[in-house]
C-alpha cells in the first residue's frame, strides 16, 4: 500500500534534514580535528641568539583533550543514528556538550598561562636552560577554526535534541526488515500447515 503524499513528503524532508545535519557534524568535527593538529604558537629564547627558535606548539600540545573531545563528539553523532526516543535526545545533548568543550578548549589554548605551562612541559631542558622562553608568534586562524568547529558541533547537538524525533534511524530500518522476515516466516508456516491438512483430506500420510 502506497503511503499518502503528505507522509511521503514529511519522510523526504526528515531524511534531507538528517543528511544536512550529518554533513554539518562532519564539517565541524573535521575542522576541529584539522585545526587542533596545526601549530598555534611559535616560541623563541630571549637569552639565545637572535632568531633562534625554541620550538612550536600545536593546539593538542596546548590543550591535550581537544582531539579526544572532537572524536568523542563524532562518535556520539553516530550514536544518534543508532538510538531512538529519549536515548537519541540524550545522545544529542552529549554532542552539544562535547562541541562546547572543544570551543572552550580552543579559547583556553590562546591564554598566556596555558602557553607558558605547555612550553615548560614540552620544551627540552637544553632549550629552557639557554634562556627564557618567549612568544614569537601566534597563528590565530587555527584556534579560531577549532572554536568554529566546536560551535558547529554544539549547535548540531541542540538541533538534534529538538528535531531528531522526526528523523529515521538505523534501528527503525532493521526493525522494518525484521518485521518483514517475521511475516514471511509466518506465511510459510501457514502454507505448510494447509498442505499437510490437504494431504490428510486426500487420504495421504503427510509423515511418509
Amino acid at each position: 500500500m502506497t503511503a499518502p503524499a503528505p507522509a511521503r513528503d514529511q519522510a523526504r524532508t526528515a531524511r534531507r534534514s538528517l543528511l544536512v545535519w550529518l554533513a554539518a557534524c562532519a564539517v565541524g568535527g573535521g575542522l576541529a580535528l584539522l585545526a587542533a593538529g596545526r601549530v598555534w604558537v611559535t616560541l623563541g629564547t630571549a637569552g639565545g641568539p637572535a632568531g633562534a627558535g625554541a620550538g612550536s606548539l600545536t593546539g593538542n600540545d596546548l590543550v591535550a583533550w581537544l582531539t579526544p573531545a572532537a572524536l568523542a563528539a563524532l562518535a556520539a553523532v553516530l550514536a544518534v543514528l543508532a538510538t531512538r526516543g529519549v536515548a537519541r535526545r540524550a545522545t544529542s545533548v552529549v554532542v552539544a556538550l562535547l562541541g562546547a568543550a572543544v570551543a572552550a578548549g580552543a579559547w583556553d589554548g590562546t591564554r598566556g598561562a596555558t602557553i607558558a605551562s605547555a612550553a615548560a612541559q614540552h620544551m627540552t631542558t637544553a632549550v629552557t636552560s639557554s634562556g627564557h622562553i618567549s612568544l614569537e608568534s601566534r597563528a590565530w586562524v587555527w584556534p579560531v577554526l577549532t572554536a568554529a568547529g566546536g560551535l558547529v558541533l554544539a549547535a548540531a547537538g541542540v538541533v538534534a535534541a529538538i528535531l531528531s524525533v522526526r528523523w529515521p534511524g538505523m534501528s527503525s530500518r532493521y526493525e522494518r526488515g525484521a518485521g518483514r522476515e517475521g511475516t514471511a516466516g509466518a506465511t510459510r508456516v501457514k502454507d505448510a500447515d494447509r498442505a499437510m491438512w490437504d494431504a490428510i483430506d486426500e487420504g495421504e500420510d503427510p509423515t511418509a
Side-chain angles (χ1 to χ4, degrees):
M1 182 176 180
T2 305
R8 290 199 304 271
D9 292 341
Q10 289 178 359
R12 190 179 300 112
T13 301
R15 287 194 297 270
R16 188 181 298 115
S17 66
L18 174 60
L19 291 176
V20 171
W21 181 79
L22 287 173
C25 290
V27 170
L31 193 62
L33 290 173
L34 173 66
R38 300 294 181 174
V39 174
W40 290 18
V41 172
T42 301
L43 301 171
T45 52
S56 58
L57 298 172
T58 66
N60 290 319
D61 292 331
L62 293 165
V63 183
W65 44 266
L66 272 179
T67 289
L71 291 175
L74 292 176
V77 167
L78 297 179
V80 168
L81 299 179
T83 54
R84 299 181 69 181
V86 176
R88 172 174 280 189
R89 288 189 172 181
T91 309
S92 302
V93 172
V94 171
V95 174
L97 292 176
L98 289 170
V102 171
W107 172 81
D108 184 55
T110 63
R111 296 172 59 243
T114 302
I115 295 173
S117 176
Q121 182 179 358
H122 290 87
M123 297 299 101
T124 63
T125 304
V127 170
T128 55
S129 62
S130 63
H132 296 292
I133 297 176
S134 62
L135 178 62
E136 285 193 351
S137 63
R138 297 190 190 190
W140 286 101
V141 62
W142 301 122
V144 169
L145 289 179
T146 303
L151 291 176
V152 169
L153 288 171
V158 173
V159 169
I162 299 172
L163 300 180
S164 61
V165 67
R166 307 175 186 174
W167 293 344
M170 293 186 294
S171 58
S172 60
R173 184 186 310 168
Y174 297 149
E175 287 171 3
R176 287 196 299 270
R180 287 194 296 268
E181 292 175 1
T183 302
T187 301
R188 287 194 296 269
V189 171
K190 184 183 293 185
D191 291 342
D193 289 343
R194 183 178 300 136
M196 183 183 68
W197 287 111
D198 290 343
I200 292 175
D201 291 340
E202 293 174 3
E204 298 178 4
D205 183 3
T207 61

